[in-house]
Amino acid sequence: MIEQWMHEKLKKDIGEVRYNHSIGVMNTSMELAKLYGYPEGEAELAGFLHDCGKLKDKINLLKIAKEFDIILDNVMKHNPELIHGPLGEKIAIKEYKVTNKNVLNAIRYHTTGRENMSLLEKIVYVADIIEPGRKFEGVDTIRQLAYEDIDKCLLYALDRTIVFVISKGKLIHLDTIKARNQLIILKD
Ligand code: DGI
Ligand code: FE
Ligand code: FE
Ligand code: FE
C-alpha cells in the first residue's frame, strides 16, 4: 500500500490527470508482476512513482536537472521531455524516500528503456503504455501482447515509439536503440 502523504504529494506535484494515469500504471504494473512472478510491492511503488518527475510547474527543466545534479546527455538536452525519467529517480530518493534500486531504475528508464532491462523495468515500460486510461489506435494489440509475452510486447512498443519519434523529426535516444537491438538479438 502506498502511504496517503505520497498520494497527496504526487497529485499536487504532477496534477490530477497525470496522477490518475499513475494510478492506472500502478495497477497494471501489479497485474503484470503477478502474471510474470515479480514482487508486487515493488511494481506498485515503481508504477505509482514512474512519472513523479513530470512536474506540473516545470519552469525550467534544464535548470531543475542541474539542481538535482543530473548529468544530461545531448539527446536529453534537445528533448527535455526525456528528463522526467532521471529527474523522477532523484525526486523519488529525496522526496519520497525510496531506496530500492530496482524501483529507482524502473522510474529512471521508463521513457527510453535501456539495454538489459530488468523485469520490473519492462513491466513499468509496458504498463505506462497499456494502462486503462490509454486509448490510442492499436492499444488493444499491445495490451494483449503484454499478457502473452512481455519481451515481444516491449519490442513492439519500442518499435512503435521509435517510429513515432521519427515521425516528429526528433532525436532517438541511444538507450532506446540499444534496448531494441538487444531484444532482437535475444530472439535469434
Ligand atoms: O510520461 P508519459 O507520457 O506517461 O510517457 P513516457 O514517459 O513514455 O513519455 C512518452 C514520450 O517520450 C513520447 O512522446 C515519446 C517520447 N520518447 C520516448 N523515447 C524517446 C522519446 N522521445 C525522444 N525524443 N527520443 C526517444 O528516444
Ligand atoms: Fe513518463
Ligand atoms: Fe512510456
Ligand atoms: Fe507515464
Side-chain angles (χ1 to χ4, degrees):
M1 281 296 280
I2 307 291
E3 290 177 51
Q4 193 55 36
W5 69 267
M6 289 197 188
H7 280 279
E8 278 152 27
K9 175 174 169 53
L10 189 67
K11 199 185 282 185
K12 186 167 141 286
D13 283 1
I14 70 175
E16 183 130 20
V17 172
R18 291 238 148 248
Y19 167 80
N20 290 334
H21 159 69
S22 301
I23 297 298
V25 175
M26 173 183 83
N27 289 327
T28 302
S29 295
M30 288 172 80
E31 263 176 48
L32 292 173
K34 192 168 194 167
L35 178 66
Y36 289 106
Y38 193 87
E40 283 172 63
E42 285 185 18
E44 179 182 33
L45 186 57
F48 177 75
L49 286 179
H50 81 285
D51 272 337
C52 75
K54 215 152 184 164
L55 303 175
K56 195 171 49 151
D57 314 305
K58 46 181 177 218
I59 323 106
N60 185 342
L61 269 176
L62 293 173
K63 189 161 161 261
I64 294 174
K66 205 166 179 196
E67 282 163 13
F68 277 90
D69 294 319
I70 297 167
I71 296 162
L72 294 175
D73 55 54
N74 253 330
V75 180
M76 293 219 176
K77 277 182 199 155
H78 286 278
N79 297 271
E81 75 267 22
L82 294 175
I83 296 174
H84 78 279
L87 178 60
E89 180 192 27
K90 300 278 188 179
I91 291 176
I93 295 168
K94 278 202 180 168
E95 301 182 7
Y96 293 89
K97 310 298 169 200
V98 176
T99 54
N100 184 305
K101 204 63 193 152
N102 303 324
V103 170
L104 294 172
N105 281 330
I107 296 169
R108 176 166 181 174
Y109 295 105
H110 85 269
T111 305
T112 58
R114 65 160 164 170
E115 200 169 24
N116 279 317
M117 288 169 80
S118 70
L119 180 54
L120 184 60
E121 290 167 32
K122 294 175 182 176
I123 285 172
V124 173
Y125 187 96
V126 165
D128 191 16
I129 291 168
I130 64 160
E131 62 97 358
R134 298 284 204 200
K135 298 214 159 50
F136 57 87
E137 165 102 42
V139 69
D140 289 333
T141 311
I142 307 179
R143 226 170 244 145
Q144 199 183 332
L145 257 184
Y147 292 89
E148 288 168 9
D149 184 331
I150 191 112
D151 282 331
K152 258 194 200 159
C153 180
L154 181 61
L155 178 56
Y156 187 91
L158 285 164
D159 280 351
R160 216 188 118 270
T161 299
I162 290 168
V163 170
F164 173 76
V165 172
I166 289 175
S167 80
K168 298 281 174 203
K170 293 188 177 175
L171 295 167
I172 301 170
H173 198 277
L174 291 179
D175 284 340
T176 309
I177 297 173
K178 286 183 184 169
R180 177 178 185 270
N181 283 355
Q182 195 215 10
L183 284 168
I184 292 175
I185 291 166
L186 270 181
K187 267 200 318 180
D188 303 334

